[in-house]
Amino acid sequence: MTSLNFFHGQETLSVIEWILRSVVTFIFLLFAVKVMGSRAISQLRLLDFVMALMLGNIIAHPLSDHRIGLKGSVISTVVLIILYLIGIFLNLKWTWLRNTIETMPIPLIKEGEIIYKGLKKARISIDLLLAELRKEKIADIKKVALAMWESDGKISIFLDPQYEAITPSTYQLQTEPFELPKTIIKEGKIDFHTLKQINKDEEWLVDALRSHHQTEVNSVLLATIDCKNELKVFLYK
């Protein structure tokens, strides 16, 4: 019968003891990261963060220490992958488990007012909140209708409708469909496949560079062309 000896260092471990080590470590890390809070996760879901942390350590040890065999690492990795897949399945199936593992969104700002209890619960400072607002080009907190601290460590920010940017749809204006410009030169090299797609050739491109931009292909860092055949050129500087 397997005892609690798997907690202690030994010359060898049985398969069951390796499995028990993996299960206990997985559960312990879930608990530890949950206590540490969302900032420790750094934009990763809790299960993903724990898996990345554990697998990194498991794989690194036998590669850096010749005294450690691969058997234990392989068993631990397989067990962790199984636990991860089970965790994802149960997370989708049971709401109560999802609410336990994943932090529910925490309101930080509502109708232009900072919610101090939310800041304390999310364990973030006023400085961090202001920094996130600056990233969204928001200088006035009073313009924020709602700001939520998400489980992946990001802050979702919604402006009051009266401060939202005016778009063509506001006045029901017709706009042209979006089309991503195509790259035809990158780091001084022509993309002939793209040239063929737009029914152009190298001679046309070289002539366009000389006549409109007074430069050569090897001097171009990046050149793109849009649906209107407008060529934009960025030179090495």
Side-chain angles (χ1 to χ4, degrees):
M1 181 177 179
T2 302
S3 65
L4 294 178
N5 289 333
F6 68 88
F7 272 103
H8 309 293
Q10 300 180 65
E11 289 294 327
T12 60
L13 290 174
S14 67
V15 172
I16 297 298
E17 287 173 330
W18 276 112
I19 292 173
L20 286 173
R21 270 195 177 189
S22 302
V23 172
V24 170
T25 306
F26 183 79
I27 295 172
F28 172 74
L29 273 177
L30 278 175
F31 173 77
V33 176
K34 180 73 174 177
V35 171
M36 289 165 63
S38 297
R39 290 187 66 182
I41 300 175
S42 183
Q43 299 182 12
L44 286 175
R45 295 294 179 182
L46 182 59
L47 283 173
D48 300 330
F49 179 80
V50 170
M51 279 295 295
L53 187 64
M54 292 186 70
L55 289 179
N57 280 283
I58 290 170
I59 294 170
H61 285 165
L63 293 178
S64 59
D65 191 342
H66 68 278
R67 294 168 298 179
I68 301 175
L70 285 174
K71 174 187 173 183
S73 296
V74 171
I75 294 172
S76 298
T77 301
V78 171
V79 172
L80 288 175
I81 291 172
I82 293 172
L83 289 173
Y84 176 72
L85 295 175
I86 291 173
I88 291 176
F89 174 76
L90 295 179
N91 209 29
L92 294 172
K93 187 176 180 63
W94 293 337
T95 304
W96 67 267
L97 181 63
R98 183 164 60 249
N99 293 339
T100 300
I101 295 178
E102 302 289 347
T103 305
M104 295 295 290
I106 302 171
L108 305 178
I109 300 175
K110 192 171 184 179
E111 296 178 359
E113 297 294 332
I114 297 174
I115 303 174
Y116 183 64
K117 289 183 178 179
L119 292 180
K120 289 181 65 177
K121 188 174 181 181
R123 301 174 192 171
I124 65 172
S125 64
I126 288 288
D127 290 333
L128 178 60
L129 177 62
L130 294 176
E132 292 297 324
L133 292 175
R134 289 195 296 271
K135 289 178 183 178
E136 299 295 325
K137 309 294 188 296
I138 299 173
D140 188 355
I141 295 175
K142 292 292 183 182
K143 294 180 179 180
V144 178
L146 182 67
M148 303 283 286
W149 179 258
E150 305 290 354
S151 61
D152 61 357
K154 294 181 180 180
I155 298 179
S156 300
I157 301 171
F158 304 91
L159 285 175
D160 189 292
Q162 64 179 318
Y163 299 112
E164 290 281 3
I166 295 175
T167 64
S169 63
T170 306
Y171 297 104
Q172 298 181 343
L173 299 176
Q174 294 293 323
T175 57
E176 295 182 0
F178 171 78
E179 184 177 329
L180 189 67
K182 292 179 171 60
T183 299
I184 55 174
I185 300 177
K186 184 167 60 176
E187 297 177 350
K189 295 181 180 178
I190 299 173
D191 188 331
F192 290 99
H193 178 69
T194 301
L195 270 182
K196 186 176 180 181
Q197 283 184 330
I198 61 175
N199 296 318
K200 303 291 184 183
D201 55 24
E202 184 179 0
E203 184 179 349
W204 171 87
L205 180 58
V206 171
D207 182 64
L209 289 174
R210 287 175 179 171
S211 59
H212 299 292
H213 301 278
Q214 294 75 51
T215 190
E216 301 292 333
V217 172
N218 56 10
S219 299
V220 176
L221 174 63
L222 178 70
T224 62
I225 190 167
D226 59 21
C227 58
K228 296 181 179 178
N229 285 333
E230 182 179 349
L231 188 65
K232 292 187 178 180
V233 177
F234 303 87
L235 302 177
Y236 283 100
K237 289 186 179 180

